[in-house]
Amino acid sequence: MGDAAPLTVHAGTLLIDGGYRTDALTGLTTQANPGASGNAGPLVVQVDGLLELRNQAEIASSTFGGGDGGAVAVRAGEIRLTGAPDIGPRTRIRAGAEPGSSGAGGPLSVTAEGLLELRQGGQITSSTFAAGPAGAVEIVAGALRIDGRHAPILGDTAVSTGIFSQSHPQATGDGGDVRLRVAGLLEVLNGAEISSATGGPGTAGDLAIAAGALRLDGGESGRATGLASTAEPGSSGSGGKIKVTTAGLLEVLNGAQIVSSTLGAGTAGDLAIAAGALRLDHGGGIASAALFDPSRPEPTLAGNAGDVSVWVREQAILRNAALISSQTFTQGRAGDITLTAAGLLEVLSGAGICLSAGGHRSQRFTALVQCAQHGIDFAAFPLRGQWDSEGQRIPRKIADAIRSPAFDDNVAALDRVALSRGLDTRAMVEASVMDAA
Protein backbone atom coordinates (compact mmCIF):
# COMPACT_ATOMS: atom_id res chain seq x y z
CA MET A 1 0.00 0.00 0.00
CA GLY A 2 1.40 3.38 -0.96
CA ASP A 3 1.92 6.50 1.10
CA ALA A 4 -0.70 9.24 1.29
CA ALA A 5 -0.15 12.43 -0.71
CA PRO A 6 1.02 15.60 1.03
CA LEU A 7 -1.42 18.27 2.19
CA THR A 8 -0.07 21.80 1.57
CA VAL A 9 -1.75 25.10 2.47
CA HIS A 10 -0.34 28.56 1.63
CA ALA A 11 -2.18 31.72 2.64
CA GLY A 12 -1.65 35.38 3.44
CA THR A 13 -3.53 34.96 6.73
CA LEU A 14 -5.33 31.90 8.05
CA LEU A 15 -8.03 31.52 10.73
CA ILE A 16 -9.27 28.07 11.80
CA ASP A 17 -12.14 28.32 14.31
CA GLY A 18 -13.79 25.24 15.80
CA GLY A 19 -16.86 27.25 16.79
CA TYR A 20 -17.15 25.45 20.15
CA ARG A 21 -18.32 22.27 18.42
CA THR A 22 -17.68 18.99 20.23
CA ASP A 23 -19.22 16.70 17.59
CA ALA A 24 -16.78 17.32 14.74
CA LEU A 25 -13.12 18.16 14.13
CA THR A 26 -12.33 21.52 12.57
CA GLY A 27 -8.92 21.91 10.98
CA LEU A 28 -6.26 20.34 8.76
CA THR A 29 -5.32 16.66 9.21
CA THR A 30 -3.47 13.76 7.62
CA GLN A 31 -3.41 10.20 8.96
CA ALA A 32 -2.45 6.59 8.32
CA ASN A 33 -5.63 4.57 8.86
CA PRO A 34 -5.98 1.31 10.88
CA GLY A 35 -4.66 -1.62 8.88
CA ALA A 36 -2.72 0.59 6.50
CA SER A 37 0.99 -0.04 5.91
CA GLY A 38 1.62 3.22 4.06
CA ASN A 39 2.68 6.42 5.75
CA ALA A 40 0.45 9.41 6.36
CA GLY A 41 1.17 12.32 4.07
CA PRO A 42 3.20 15.31 5.24
CA LEU A 43 1.20 18.37 6.32
CA VAL A 44 2.70 21.74 5.36
CA VAL A 45 1.15 25.09 6.35
CA GLN A 46 2.76 28.34 5.16
CA VAL A 47 1.17 31.66 6.20
CA ASP A 48 2.74 35.01 5.41
CA GLY A 49 0.97 36.89 8.20
CA LEU A 50 -1.10 35.68 11.19
CA LEU A 51 -2.06 32.02 11.64
CA GLU A 52 -4.76 31.69 14.30
CA LEU A 53 -6.40 28.55 15.72
CA ARG A 54 -9.18 28.89 18.27
CA ASN A 55 -12.11 27.13 19.92
CA GLN A 56 -10.96 23.50 19.45
CA ALA A 57 -9.39 23.84 16.02
CA GLU A 58 -6.52 21.47 15.09
CA ILE A 59 -3.63 21.00 12.71
CA ALA A 60 -2.67 17.34 13.12
CA SER A 61 -1.09 14.23 11.67
CA SER A 62 -1.33 10.78 13.18
CA THR A 63 -0.96 7.08 12.53
CA PHE A 64 -3.44 4.36 13.47
CA GLY A 65 -1.67 1.66 11.43
CA GLY A 66 1.69 0.24 10.46
CA GLY A 67 2.86 3.33 8.59
CA ASP A 68 4.38 6.41 10.16
CA GLY A 69 2.52 9.60 10.86
CA GLY A 70 3.24 12.46 8.49
CA ALA A 71 5.66 15.27 9.23
CA VAL A 72 3.91 18.46 10.32
CA ALA A 73 5.58 21.74 9.33
CA VAL A 74 3.88 25.03 10.23
CA ARG A 75 5.42 28.39 9.41
CA ALA A 76 3.90 31.88 9.78
CA GLY A 77 4.68 35.49 10.52
CA GLU A 78 2.82 35.15 13.84
CA ILE A 79 0.97 32.20 15.37
CA ARG A 80 -1.77 32.25 18.02
CA LEU A 81 -3.53 29.22 19.57
CA THR A 82 -6.47 29.94 21.90
CA GLY A 83 -8.55 27.26 23.60
CA ALA A 84 -12.29 27.39 24.10
CA PRO A 85 -12.87 29.07 27.48
CA ASP A 86 -15.83 26.99 28.64
CA ILE A 87 -15.51 23.53 27.05
CA GLY A 88 -13.01 20.77 26.95
CA PRO A 89 -10.99 19.54 23.98
CA ARG A 90 -7.97 21.66 23.23
CA THR A 91 -6.92 23.86 20.40
CA ARG A 92 -3.67 22.38 19.18
CA ILE A 93 -1.01 21.52 16.64
CA ARG A 94 -0.16 17.86 17.15
CA ALA A 95 1.48 14.69 15.87
CA GLY A 96 0.85 11.26 17.32
CA ALA A 97 1.15 7.47 17.19
CA GLU A 98 -2.35 6.39 18.23
CA PRO A 99 -3.54 3.25 20.12
CA GLY A 100 -3.16 0.09 18.04
CA SER A 101 -0.59 1.55 15.66
CA SER A 102 2.96 0.30 15.13
CA GLY A 103 4.35 3.19 13.11
CA ALA A 104 6.19 6.21 14.49
CA GLY A 105 4.61 9.56 15.12
CA GLY A 106 5.74 12.19 12.66
CA PRO A 107 8.13 15.03 13.49
CA LEU A 108 6.53 18.37 14.31
CA SER A 109 8.05 21.77 13.53
CA VAL A 110 6.55 25.19 14.20
CA THR A 111 8.22 28.44 13.14
CA ALA A 112 7.02 31.96 13.87
CA GLU A 113 9.06 34.88 12.62
CA GLY A 114 7.46 37.07 15.30
CA LEU A 115 5.33 36.04 18.31
CA LEU A 116 4.14 32.49 18.93
CA GLU A 117 1.40 32.58 21.57
CA LEU A 118 -0.43 29.71 23.30
CA ARG A 119 -3.24 30.61 25.70
CA GLN A 120 -6.35 29.26 27.46
CA GLY A 121 -5.57 25.61 26.72
CA GLY A 122 -3.72 26.07 23.44
CA GLN A 123 -1.21 23.25 22.88
CA ILE A 124 1.59 21.94 20.70
CA THR A 125 1.91 18.20 21.36
CA SER A 126 3.68 15.03 20.25
CA SER A 127 2.65 11.71 21.75
CA THR A 128 2.70 7.96 21.44
CA PHE A 129 0.12 5.50 22.75
CA ALA A 130 1.73 2.50 21.05
CA ALA A 131 4.94 0.76 19.99
CA GLY A 132 6.21 3.51 17.73
CA PRO A 133 8.10 6.50 19.13
CA ALA A 134 6.61 9.96 19.27
CA GLY A 135 8.07 12.47 16.84
CA ALA A 136 10.53 15.19 17.79
CA VAL A 137 9.18 18.71 18.33
CA GLU A 138 11.16 21.70 17.05
CA ILE A 139 9.97 25.26 17.64
CA VAL A 140 11.65 28.45 16.41
CA ALA A 141 10.18 31.86 17.25
CA GLY A 142 11.08 35.50 17.57
CA ALA A 143 9.23 35.49 20.93
CA LEU A 144 7.14 32.87 22.71
CA ARG A 145 4.40 33.43 25.29
CA ILE A 146 2.51 30.53 26.92
CA ASP A 147 -0.21 31.63 29.36
CA GLY A 148 -2.50 29.22 31.22
CA ARG A 149 -4.77 31.96 32.58
CA HIS A 150 -8.49 31.30 31.91
CA ALA A 151 -7.82 27.77 30.62
CA PRO A 152 -10.95 25.61 30.14
CA ILE A 153 -11.97 23.49 33.14
CA LEU A 154 -12.76 19.78 32.81
CA GLY A 155 -14.25 18.55 36.08
CA ASP A 156 -12.01 20.17 38.68
CA THR A 157 -8.93 20.37 36.44
CA ALA A 158 -7.81 23.10 34.09
CA VAL A 159 -6.92 21.98 30.55
CA SER A 160 -3.15 22.18 30.19
CA THR A 161 -1.67 25.01 28.17
CA GLY A 162 1.77 24.50 26.67
CA ILE A 163 4.16 22.34 24.69
CA PHE A 164 4.13 18.63 25.51
CA SER A 165 5.83 15.36 24.59
CA GLN A 166 4.32 12.20 26.08
CA SER A 167 4.90 8.47 26.03
CA HIS A 168 1.63 7.25 27.53
CA PRO A 169 1.30 4.31 29.98
CA GLN A 170 0.13 1.85 27.32
CA ALA A 171 2.98 2.83 24.96
CA THR A 172 6.31 1.08 24.58
CA GLY A 173 7.75 3.71 22.26
CA ASP A 174 9.86 6.62 23.50
CA GLY A 175 8.66 10.18 23.79
CA GLY A 176 10.01 12.73 21.32
CA ASP A 177 12.65 15.32 22.14
CA VAL A 178 11.53 18.95 22.38
CA ARG A 179 13.84 21.69 21.07
CA LEU A 180 13.03 25.40 21.33
CA ARG A 181 14.98 28.36 19.94
CA VAL A 182 13.58 31.77 20.83
CA ALA A 183 15.46 34.88 19.77
CA GLY A 184 13.80 37.16 22.33
CA LEU A 185 11.74 36.56 25.48
CA LEU A 186 10.22 33.17 26.31
CA GLU A 187 7.43 33.37 28.93
CA VAL A 188 5.64 30.45 30.62
CA LEU A 189 2.90 31.80 32.90
CA ASN A 190 -0.05 31.00 35.17
CA GLY A 191 -0.16 27.21 35.11
CA ALA A 192 1.35 26.73 31.64
CA GLU A 193 4.14 24.19 31.03
CA ILE A 194 6.72 22.90 28.60
CA SER A 195 7.10 19.26 29.51
CA SER A 196 8.01 15.71 28.57
CA ALA A 197 6.80 12.60 30.34
CA THR A 198 6.70 8.82 30.27
CA GLY A 199 4.05 6.66 31.85
CA GLY A 200 5.45 3.30 30.72
CA PRO A 201 8.68 1.60 29.60
CA GLY A 202 9.52 4.24 27.01
CA THR A 203 11.97 7.04 27.77
CA ALA A 204 10.65 10.58 28.08
CA GLY A 205 12.04 13.04 25.54
CA ASP A 206 14.76 15.54 26.39
CA LEU A 207 13.98 19.28 26.62
CA ALA A 208 16.51 21.67 25.07
CA ILE A 209 15.60 25.36 25.34
CA ALA A 210 17.63 28.34 24.15
CA ALA A 211 16.24 31.86 24.53
CA GLY A 212 17.35 35.46 24.74
CA ALA A 213 15.61 35.62 28.14
CA LEU A 214 13.29 33.27 30.03
CA ARG A 215 10.55 34.07 32.54
CA LEU A 216 8.66 31.33 34.38
CA ASP A 217 5.95 32.77 36.65
CA GLY A 218 3.20 30.83 38.41
CA GLY A 219 1.39 34.06 39.31
CA GLU A 220 -1.61 33.34 41.53
CA SER A 221 -2.66 30.22 39.59
CA GLY A 222 -1.66 27.68 42.24
CA ARG A 223 -0.92 25.25 39.40
CA ALA A 224 2.31 23.68 38.19
CA THR A 225 4.12 26.18 35.99
CA GLY A 226 7.44 25.96 34.17
CA LEU A 227 9.64 23.30 32.58
CA ALA A 228 9.29 19.67 33.59
CA SER A 229 10.36 16.16 32.68
CA THR A 230 8.63 13.34 34.55
CA ALA A 231 8.77 9.57 34.88
CA GLU A 232 5.21 9.05 36.07
CA PRO A 233 3.84 6.55 38.65
CA GLY A 234 4.05 2.98 37.38
CA SER A 235 6.60 3.81 34.67
CA SER A 236 9.89 2.00 34.14
CA GLY A 237 11.37 4.35 31.54
CA SER A 238 13.63 7.21 32.51
CA GLY A 239 12.74 10.90 32.52
CA GLY A 240 14.30 13.20 29.97
CA LYS A 241 17.16 15.64 30.49
CA ILE A 242 16.48 19.37 30.64
CA LYS A 243 18.98 21.82 29.16
CA VAL A 244 18.29 25.56 29.36
CA THR A 245 20.47 28.32 27.91
CA THR A 246 19.66 32.03 28.11
CA ALA A 247 21.83 34.90 26.92
CA GLY A 248 20.09 37.26 29.37
CA LEU A 249 18.01 36.91 32.54
CA LEU A 250 16.43 33.64 33.67
CA GLU A 251 13.60 34.27 36.17
CA VAL A 252 11.70 31.55 38.07
CA LEU A 253 8.98 33.15 40.19
CA ASN A 254 5.90 32.49 42.34
CA GLY A 255 6.15 28.73 42.65
CA ALA A 256 7.26 28.09 39.08
CA GLN A 257 9.83 25.31 38.64
CA ILE A 258 12.43 23.82 36.37
CA VAL A 259 12.12 20.24 37.55
CA SER A 260 12.91 16.65 36.64
CA SER A 261 11.33 13.91 38.71
CA THR A 262 10.69 10.21 38.89
CA LEU A 263 7.86 8.38 40.61
CA GLY A 264 8.77 5.12 38.89
CA ALA A 265 11.69 2.73 38.46
CA GLY A 266 13.49 4.90 35.90
CA THR A 267 15.85 7.73 36.78
CA ALA A 268 14.97 11.41 36.69
CA GLY A 269 16.79 13.42 34.04
CA ASP A 270 19.77 15.67 34.76
CA LEU A 271 19.32 19.46 34.72
CA ALA A 272 21.86 21.74 33.04
CA ILE A 273 21.20 25.48 33.27
CA ALA A 274 23.38 28.24 31.81
CA ALA A 275 22.15 31.84 32.13
CA GLY A 276 23.40 35.38 31.77
CA ALA A 277 21.77 36.22 35.12
CA LEU A 278 19.50 34.27 37.48
CA ARG A 279 16.63 35.27 39.76
CA LEU A 280 14.67 32.72 41.80
CA ASP A 281 12.00 34.34 43.99
CA HIS A 282 8.81 33.60 45.96
CA GLY A 283 9.11 29.82 45.91
CA GLY A 284 10.64 29.51 42.45
CA GLY A 285 12.92 26.51 42.09
CA ILE A 286 15.33 24.38 40.10
CA ALA A 287 15.04 20.79 41.26
CA SER A 288 15.44 17.09 40.60
CA ALA A 289 13.62 14.60 42.79
CA ALA A 290 12.95 10.89 43.29
CA LEU A 291 9.45 10.83 44.77
CA PHE A 292 7.54 8.07 46.52
CA ASP A 293 4.72 6.49 44.53
CA PRO A 294 2.13 5.25 47.07
CA SER A 295 0.70 2.82 44.51
CA ARG A 296 3.96 0.82 44.44
CA PRO A 297 4.25 -1.81 47.20
CA GLU A 298 8.04 -1.92 46.91
CA PRO A 299 9.71 1.49 47.13
CA THR A 300 13.17 -0.07 46.63
CA LEU A 301 12.37 -0.15 42.90
CA ALA A 302 12.35 3.64 42.77
CA GLY A 303 14.77 5.41 40.44
CA ASN A 304 17.42 8.02 41.24
CA ALA A 305 17.11 11.79 41.17
CA GLY A 306 19.20 13.63 38.57
CA ASP A 307 22.22 15.90 38.94
CA VAL A 308 21.65 19.66 38.92
CA SER A 309 24.17 22.01 37.29
CA VAL A 310 23.64 25.79 37.25
CA TRP A 311 26.12 28.25 35.72
CA VAL A 312 25.49 32.00 35.79
CA ARG A 313 27.64 34.53 33.96
CA GLU A 314 26.62 37.49 36.13
CA GLN A 315 24.59 37.88 39.33
CA ALA A 316 22.52 35.03 40.81
CA ILE A 317 19.80 35.86 43.37
CA LEU A 318 17.78 33.32 45.40
CA ARG A 319 15.25 34.76 47.86
CA ASN A 320 11.89 34.24 49.58
CA ALA A 321 11.86 30.44 49.88
CA ALA A 322 13.41 29.87 46.44
CA LEU A 323 15.33 26.60 46.22
CA ILE A 324 17.90 24.74 44.15
CA SER A 325 17.70 21.09 45.16
CA SER A 326 18.24 17.43 44.45
CA GLN A 327 16.17 15.26 46.76
CA THR A 328 15.08 11.68 47.23
CA PHE A 329 12.20 10.44 49.32
CA THR A 330 12.76 6.79 48.30
CA GLN A 331 15.52 4.20 48.05
CA GLY A 332 16.76 6.04 44.97
CA ARG A 333 19.76 8.35 45.25
CA ALA A 334 19.82 12.11 45.24
CA GLY A 335 21.98 13.74 42.58
CA ASP A 336 24.84 16.20 42.95
CA ILE A 337 24.42 19.97 42.72
CA THR A 338 26.90 22.36 41.15
CA LEU A 339 26.16 26.09 41.26
CA THR A 340 28.68 28.51 39.75
CA ALA A 341 28.19 32.28 39.55
CA ALA A 342 30.83 34.52 38.01
CA GLY A 343 29.30 37.54 39.76
CA LEU A 344 27.67 37.97 43.17
CA LEU A 345 25.62 35.07 44.51
CA GLU A 346 22.92 36.14 47.00
CA VAL A 347 20.89 33.58 48.96
CA LEU A 348 18.39 35.48 51.11
CA SER A 349 15.15 35.36 53.10
CA GLY A 350 14.59 31.63 53.51
CA ALA A 351 15.98 30.61 50.13
CA GLY A 352 18.56 27.82 49.91
CA ILE A 353 20.45 25.04 48.22
CA CYS A 354 19.15 21.70 49.41
CA LEU A 355 20.46 18.13 49.37
CA SER A 356 18.22 15.67 51.14
CA ALA A 357 17.37 12.01 51.32
CA GLY A 358 14.56 10.11 52.95
CA GLY A 359 15.33 6.52 51.98
CA HIS A 360 16.47 3.72 54.26
CA ARG A 361 20.09 3.19 53.30
CA SER A 362 23.30 5.13 53.35
CA GLN A 363 23.70 7.69 50.60
CA ARG A 364 26.34 10.23 49.70
CA PHE A 365 26.09 13.23 47.47
CA THR A 366 27.90 16.50 47.00
CA ALA A 367 27.01 20.17 46.64
CA LEU A 368 29.55 22.58 45.23
CA VAL A 369 28.87 26.30 45.44
CA GLN A 370 31.38 28.69 44.01
CA CYS A 371 31.56 32.33 43.01
CA ALA A 372 34.44 33.53 40.88
CA GLN A 373 34.56 37.23 41.69
CA HIS A 374 32.43 38.82 44.35
CA GLY A 375 31.84 36.15 46.96
CA ILE A 376 28.84 34.42 48.48
CA ASP A 377 26.36 36.21 50.74
CA PHE A 378 24.29 34.06 53.09
CA ALA A 379 23.97 36.71 55.79
CA ALA A 380 20.18 36.89 55.79
CA PHE A 381 19.64 33.19 56.59
CA PRO A 382 18.12 32.15 59.91
CA LEU A 383 20.30 29.73 61.86
CA ARG A 384 19.16 26.18 61.12
CA GLY A 385 21.05 24.30 63.83
CA GLN A 386 22.85 21.57 61.88
CA TRP A 387 25.74 19.57 63.27
CA ASP A 388 28.58 17.67 61.67
CA SER A 389 29.53 14.06 62.36
CA GLU A 390 31.80 15.15 65.25
CA GLY A 391 28.87 16.74 67.04
CA GLN A 392 30.09 20.28 66.28
CA ARG A 393 27.79 22.97 65.00
CA ILE A 394 28.47 23.68 61.32
CA PRO A 395 29.58 27.28 60.74
CA ARG A 396 26.57 29.45 60.06
CA LYS A 397 27.82 30.68 56.70
CA ILE A 398 27.77 27.13 55.31
CA ALA A 399 24.97 25.53 57.30
CA ASP A 400 22.48 28.19 56.35
CA ALA A 401 23.27 27.75 52.67
CA ILE A 402 23.12 23.97 52.47
CA ARG A 403 20.03 22.39 53.95
CA SER A 404 19.93 18.64 54.56
CA PRO A 405 16.70 17.91 56.46
CA ALA A 406 16.10 14.48 57.99
CA PHE A 407 12.97 12.52 57.07
CA ASP A 408 11.16 9.80 59.04
CA ASP A 409 13.66 8.00 61.28
CA ASN A 410 16.74 8.87 59.25
CA VAL A 411 19.64 10.98 60.40
CA ALA A 412 21.13 13.54 58.06
CA ALA A 413 24.74 14.45 58.85
CA LEU A 414 27.23 16.65 57.09
CA ASP A 415 30.51 14.83 57.58
CA ARG A 416 32.87 17.26 55.85
CA VAL A 417 32.59 21.00 55.47
CA ALA A 418 35.33 22.99 53.78
CA LEU A 419 35.55 26.62 52.82
CA SER A 420 38.37 27.51 50.47
CA ARG A 421 39.99 30.67 51.85
CA GLY A 422 42.00 31.39 48.72
CA LEU A 423 39.32 33.59 47.21
CA ASP A 424 36.84 33.17 50.04
CA THR A 425 34.33 32.35 47.36
CA ARG A 426 33.88 28.59 47.39
CA ALA A 427 31.99 26.21 49.65
CA MET A 428 31.85 22.45 49.20
CA VAL A 429 29.77 20.07 51.27
CA GLU A 430 29.66 16.29 51.24
CA ALA A 431 26.56 14.91 52.90
CA SER A 432 25.80 11.40 54.08
CA VAL A 433 22.37 10.11 54.96
CA MET A 434 22.69 7.13 57.25
CA ASP A 435 20.11 4.55 58.23
CA ALA A 436 19.06 5.38 61.79
CA ALA A 437 18.65 1.71 62.54
Side-chain angles (χ1 to χ4, degrees):
M1 186 176 295
D3 297 340
L7 171 58
T8 302
V9 176
H10 189 183
T13 60
L14 177 60
L15 169 64
I16 306 176
D17 190 335
Y20 299 94
R21 293 190 61 174
T22 58
D23 60 341
L25 171 67
T26 302
L28 308 173
T29 65
T30 67
Q31 70 179 45
N33 291 321
S37 57
N39 300 324
L43 174 53
V44 179
V45 180
Q46 173 74 52
V47 179
D48 301 329
L50 174 64
L51 167 61
E52 184 171 9
L53 280 70
R54 61 192 186 199
N55 302 324
Q56 305 177 91
E58 283 197 4
I59 294 174
S61 181
S62 56
T63 177
F64 292 84
D68 295 340
V72 178
V74 177
R75 186 181 187 96
E78 293 188 3
I79 301 174
R80 184 183 305 136
L81 278 66
T82 306
D86 301 318
I87 52 180
R90 334 92 186 122
T91 300
R92 59 191 176 181
I93 300 172
R94 64 178 296 265
E98 307 298 338
S101 66
S102 56
L108 171 58
S109 68
V110 177
T111 301
E113 296 176 9
L115 176 64
L116 168 58
E117 185 174 18
L118 311 179
R119 58 189 188 182
Q120 295 180 202
Q123 297 182 350
I124 296 173
T125 69
S126 175
S127 62
T128 177
F129 292 83
V137 177
E138 182 161 6
I139 295 175
V140 179
L144 174 56
R145 180 182 176 90
I146 309 173
D147 192 342
R149 191 190 305 270
H150 305 309
I153 304 296
L154 288 180
D156 296 326
T157 304
V159 172
S160 299
T161 304
I163 300 168
F164 307 104
S165 172
Q166 174 82 45
S167 176
H168 288 274
Q170 63 269 47
T172 56
D174 295 337
D177 294 340
V178 178
R179 296 184 294 272
L180 277 71
R181 290 184 288 130
V182 180
L185 177 61
L186 167 54
E187 296 179 285
V188 182
L189 311 171
N190 303 308
E193 287 191 291
I194 300 172
S195 74
S196 70
T198 177
T203 299
D206 294 339
L207 302 183
I209 297 170
L214 174 60
R215 181 169 178 251
L216 311 175
D217 189 343
E220 298 179 356
S221 67
R223 292 181 280 128
T225 303
L227 314 179
S229 181
T230 307
E232 296 174 340
S235 64
S236 56
S238 295
K241 299 176 183 177
I242 301 178
K243 181 179 180 181
V244 178
T245 305
T246 66
L249 177 63
L250 167 56
E251 294 181 286
V252 187
L253 312 173
N254 297 310
Q257 301 284 314
I258 301 174
V259 60
S260 69
S261 61
T262 178
L263 292 94
T267 60
D270 294 337
L271 304 182
I273 314 295
L278 176 67
R279 179 185 170 213
L280 307 183
D281 205 344
H282 289 98
I286 298 172
S288 184
L291 303 173
F292 177 67
D293 174 9
S295 69
R296 296 182 69 89
E298 184 50 74
T300 58
L301 297 178
N304 300 328
D307 293 337
V308 178
S309 173
V310 180
W311 179 89
V312 183
R313 186 179 65 247
E314 299 174 359
Q315 186 178 49
I317 299 173
L318 287 67
R319 61 176 56 158
N320 297 316
L323 193 63
I324 296 175
S325 66
S326 183
Q327 305 185 69
T328 174
F329 298 86
T330 70
Q331 286 290 78
R333 295 179 60 84
D336 293 341
I337 298 175
T338 302
L339 169 60
T340 303
L344 177 63
L345 170 61
E346 293 183 328
V347 186
L348 308 170
S349 304
I353 301 157
C354 178
L355 290 162
S356 68
H360 299 283
R361 63 181 183 184
S362 296
Q363 300 188 36
R364 180 177 295 276
F365 36 82
T366 302
L368 171 63
V369 180
Q370 57 188 348
C371 193
Q373 296 177 8
H374 299 292
I376 305 172
D377 180 8
F378 301 130
F381 269 76
L383 189 64
R384 299 187 186 281
Q386 297 174 336
W387 286 263
D388 65 16
S389 58
E390 302 297 325
Q392 301 296 315
R393 183 180 291 275
I394 299 168
R396 176 172 177 172
K397 192 171 185 180
I398 307 297
D400 293 346
I402 308 296
R403 296 186 285 173
S404 294
F407 294 91
D408 301 325
D409 296 325
N410 300 301
V411 176
L414 301 182
D415 62 4
R416 185 167 69 84
V417 178
L419 177 63
S420 171
R421 304 298 298 187
L423 295 175
D424 198 19
T425 58
R426 173 185 168 111
M428 179 160 42
V429 173
E430 283 190 27
S432 294
V433 176
M434 299 167 291
D435 192 340

